[in-house]
Amino acid sequence: MDNITGLELSPKKIEYLKFLLEKGDNVRTTDISRHMKVDPSTTTKAITELDSTGYVKHIPYRGVSLTEKGKVYTHFILRRHRILSLMLNHYGLTPEESCKEVARFEGFVSKDAIDSICNSMGHPTFGICGRIEHYGCGLDHEDHA
């Protein structure tokens, strides 16, 4: 994870990864299309791009699943969202407002910035949106489940 910046993927591709993490292994492309509310050809194009960059493994007619690289990156995405939401909540936004605001800009915040914010907050383990996992931020003793 040390070689990522957190800025590699578009917000739309991030949504694909988050859905795959939520659903688990071998998700059908039709299920992804339905969830993303896009045409199947759009899903196929995005999955092909994510497959070629190593974030997912796509086996035609079998499904799509996250690779190890995809799992690590997606856990970072969740960590980034939860750290930023917790920060905005700390500064007066409600939990709902925090999540909504963070969704507008989170894809443009680097891993280095998140690591610094997380450090300044004392590496919280729980945010307003759920558990905060500390993949790749120097806290190797944390549970990576």
Side-chain angles (χ1 to χ4, degrees), residues 11-30:
K12 197 67 167 175
K13 286 195 177 102
I14 286 170
E15 290 304 313
Y16 281 91
L17 295 183
K18 286 167 49 176
F19 180 70
L20 290 169
L21 182 68
E22 176 187 318
K23 290 299 180 185
D25 286 339
N26 295 320
V27 180
R28 297 180 340 192
T29 55
T30 54

Side-chain angles (χ1 to χ4, degrees), residues 48-75:
T48 300
E49 291 170 7
L50 288 167
D51 187 26
S52 71
T53 53
Y55 292 98
V56 303
K57 178 71 174 165
H58 179 220
I59 301 173
Y61 308 106
R62 287 275 175 98
V64 182
S65 57
L66 291 170
T67 61
E68 188 59 32
K69 175 182 177 180
K71 289 176 185 174
V72 169
Y73 196 82
T74 307
H75 282 285

Side-chain angles (χ1 to χ4, degrees), residues 9-109:
L9 298 175
S10 69
K12 197 67 167 175
K13 286 195 177 102
I14 286 170
E15 290 304 313
Y16 281 91
L17 295 183
K18 286 167 49 176
F19 180 70
L20 290 169
L21 182 68
E22 176 187 318
K23 290 299 180 185
D25 286 339
N26 295 320
V27 180
R28 297 180 340 192
T29 55
T30 54
D31 293 337
I32 299 168
S33 295
R34 190 171 19 260
H35 173 77
M36 300 295 291
K37 297 181 174 105
V38 297
D39 201 59
S41 64
T42 302
T43 298
T44 299
K45 181 179 179 202
I47 293 300
T48 300
E49 291 170 7
L50 288 167
D51 187 26
S52 71
T53 53
Y55 292 98
V56 303
K57 178 71 174 165
H58 179 220
I59 301 173
Y61 308 106
R62 287 275 175 98
V64 182
S65 57
L66 291 170
T67 61
E68 188 59 32
K69 175 182 177 180
K71 289 176 185 174
V72 169
Y73 196 82
T74 307
H75 282 285
F76 162 73
I77 290 165
L78 294 176
R79 176 175 167 254
R80 175 172 59 190
H81 178 86
R82 291 172 181 171
I83 291 291
L84 292 171
S85 294
L86 188 60
M87 181 184 72
L88 291 183
N89 181 245
H90 175 77
Y91 286 106
L93 275 66
T94 67
E96 295 79 19
E97 291 168 336
S98 296
C99 283
K100 189 175 181 178
E101 286 300 316
V102 166
R104 295 175 197 242
F105 68 85
E106 65 190 328
F108 303 103
V109 181

